[in-house]
Amino acid sequence: MELINRYIFAIKKRLPAKMSEDIANEIKSLLFDELEEKFGEKETYTKEEIETVLKEMGPPRKVAQRYRGGKQYLIGPEIFPIFKMVTSIVLGATTLGLVISYIVSAFTMESANAWQVVEPFFGFFFSLLSAWMSAFGGLVFTFAVIDHFTNLEGKEIDLSEDWKPSDLPELPEEKDIVPLYEPIIALFFIIVCIILLNSYVYTKGAFVETISSVTILPILNIDALRNYLPIWNLSLGLSLALEIVHLVQRRRSLFTRIFEIALSLLSITVLVMLLHGPILVHFDQIAAFFSETNLTVASLTRNYRLILKVMIGLTSFGMLINIIKLIVSEARKANV
Amino acid sequence: MTETKKPIEGLISELKRGTLVLGVLSQLDKPHYGYTLVKSLAKKGMDIDKNTLYPLLRRLEKQGLLKSEWDTEGSRPRRYYQLSAEGAHTFEQLKNEWFDLQKVLQELLQQEN
């Protein structure tokens, strides 16, 4: 009897908890029917008798698989190729971002002893590992959610129903086609940017404060950076989403164009905040370092603001052109 | 797995698979438990793998075509399956479909001969 219980246990653990008990009971009852039929009704059966029946029933994995049926995966075959592509981009970019931030932090610190060079190296591997894990976990979660809401397999939906050839999306115009490399490169750089910015603020800032032997010139104002970080992350995150849409649809649509305009509006807001908020660069340190030249804090600040104003102007100009293009193309479509 | 088999084997099992549900439903106007159903089908010439039949019964129940009940009165508890009202209706429709199909195929195959 122990053999039967082992067999049932092996099947049960491969079944969804909700129905495993019921199926297990049923299989057990069926096994005893077989035993009774083959070897007569008795209290106990020999090991050989039980083995014969179990062999006939088949390996637990196979039995459980037949009972499970339906969808048994998180990310279905339909979206798997895109999942694979996005995963390689994200993992590649994550690695590059962390490598750059490690090299920067290794070069900008003066080594008092060997351990201080080696220690961040270990830290680098751990942060790389944990970044891979969380990036991969996030991707699996995202794609599993997408799969859950878009997957038709296993559901009782007739794919051929309600489908008209005229429903096929129209071919994009030449200018609307997004070549594959564009979103891939964009995704890569956006992720590198996110990692560099965040690791700079969270790790580099800590380095400067904790390792006393570090005598680097703190050019960037960590407090100011930290202040702007949430909105930068928001802006980068939204760009990331836009590029994923581009990657999936491979065309610009009315939606992505409006999204793009909204993103430039956000960039302008960020630039205006920079113009009026705390200054990102420690101009006093720079002015002190170049004290023999005629660089002053005031002149540096003036130029910093001027650059920001030019950037605001350029971004606004670009946005304006995009809006005009959008209106013209929509008007043309309306007239056709 | 199926790729290594000869095409004829795959085609035959595909053909049989289509008729499986019809065969099973035809026996369930009276309650049966898994084991007696296998025997009853086999006696009438329809050999069906236990590993196919038992999960199929559950699937048909989930679709509302069968109802089941544990009978605890015998020497051991057994789960009995029987057609539900919806199942009986579906069976009639399937049966008619089968007869029509049979007629068409008969003609097609006789033409061939």
Side-chain angles (χ1 to χ4, degrees), chain A residues 103-317:
Chain A
I103 291 174
V104 169
S105 71
F107 273 96
T108 48
M109 59 185 277
E110 275 177 23
S111 51
N113 57 49
W115 177 244
Q116 283 184 354
V117 183
V118 177
E119 196 216 314
F121 193 67
F122 283 118
F124 164 71
F125 271 108
F126 282 117
S127 53
L128 189 61
L129 209 62
S130 83
W132 276 346
M133 298 280 211
S134 51
F136 189 69
L139 284 169
V140 170
F141 178 77
T142 312
F143 275 85
V145 170
I146 294 174
D147 189 86
H148 181 78
F149 288 109
T150 59
N151 193 350
L152 298 176
E153 263 173 64
K155 291 184 190 160
E156 283 163 31
I157 294 174
D158 186 358
L159 278 172
S160 60
E161 227 173 66
D162 294 333
W163 181 82
K164 297 191 295 292
S166 55
D167 288 343
L168 285 169
E170 275 176 39
L171 280 180
E173 284 177 47
E174 194 77 21
K175 64 180 175 43
D176 287 339
I177 296 174
V178 176
L180 185 60
Y181 66 85
E182 258 181 35
I184 290 182
I185 294 174
L187 274 175
F188 200 83
F189 280 102
I190 292 168
I191 294 165
V192 171
C193 268
I194 292 178
I195 289 169
L196 284 183
L197 255 172
N198 286 277
S199 71
Y200 187 85
V201 171
Y202 289 111
T203 7
K204 186 72 185 308
F207 271 137
V208 176
E209 282 155 24
T210 55
I211 301 175
S212 54
S213 65
V214 172
T215 52
I216 62 157
L217 186 65
I219 295 173
L220 291 177
N221 180 350
I222 294 285
D223 290 326
L225 264 175
R226 217 170 260 159
N227 191 26
Y228 296 120
L229 195 63
I231 193 155
W232 277 341
N233 277 336
L234 175 72
S235 159
L236 286 167
L238 289 174
S239 314
L240 198 73
L242 176 70
E243 293 309 328
I244 289 176
V245 174
H246 277 157
L247 186 67
V248 174
Q249 298 189 335
R250 303 286 284 285
R251 64 189 292 168
R252 278 176 239 282
S253 59
L254 181 61
F255 168 74
T256 59
R257 284 189 190 283
I258 292 176
F259 199 108
E260 251 169 304
I261 291 169
L263 266 177
S264 15
L265 207 60
L266 185 64
S267 307
I268 294 170
T269 316
V270 173
L271 288 169
V272 171
M273 278 170 72
L274 279 173
L275 188 63
H276 295 290
I279 295 174
L280 269 186
V281 190
H282 281 306
F283 288 130
D284 46 345
Q285 308 260 9
I286 297 178
F289 191 78
F290 296 103
S291 52
E292 284 160 24
T293 65
N294 56 359
L295 275 176
T296 62
V297 176
S299 71
L300 284 168
T301 312
R302 212 168 33 242
N303 283 317
Y304 168 82
R305 294 236 153 91
L306 182 68
I307 291 170
L308 283 175
K309 280 177 191 162
V310 170
M311 281 165 80
I312 292 172
L314 285 176
T315 318
S316 308
F317 184 67

Side-chain angles (χ1 to χ4, degrees), chain A residues 7-34:
Chain A
Y7 184 75
I8 298 291
F9 180 74
I11 294 176
K12 229 167 116 174
K13 71 173 182 192
R14 291 183 168 88
L15 292 172
K18 211 166 56 182
M19 55 190 207
S20 68
E21 198 61 44
D22 196 45
I23 292 177
N25 286 337
E26 189 170 1
I27 293 174
K28 202 168 179 176
S29 131
L30 292 164
L31 287 171
F32 278 106
D33 286 335
E34 293 275 342

Side-chain angles (χ1 to χ4, degrees), chain B residues 94-110:
Chain B
L94 268 181
K95 204 161 67 175
N96 291 336
E97 197 67 35
W98 170 259
F99 287 135
D100 288 346
L101 200 63
Q102 197 190 16
K103 229 182 283 168
V104 173
L105 268 172
Q106 193 87 30
E107 244 168 73
L108 286 174
L109 297 177
Q110 267 164 5

Side-chain angles (χ1 to χ4, degrees), chain A residues 22 26 33-34 37 57, chain B residues 35 50-51 78-79 81:
Chain A
D22 196 45
E26 189 170 1
D33 286 335
E34 293 275 342
E37 166 76 14
M57 191 67 126
Chain B
Y35 188 74
K50 281 176 288 219
N51 267 326
R78 283 187 175 117
R79 189 182 202 132
Y81 290 92

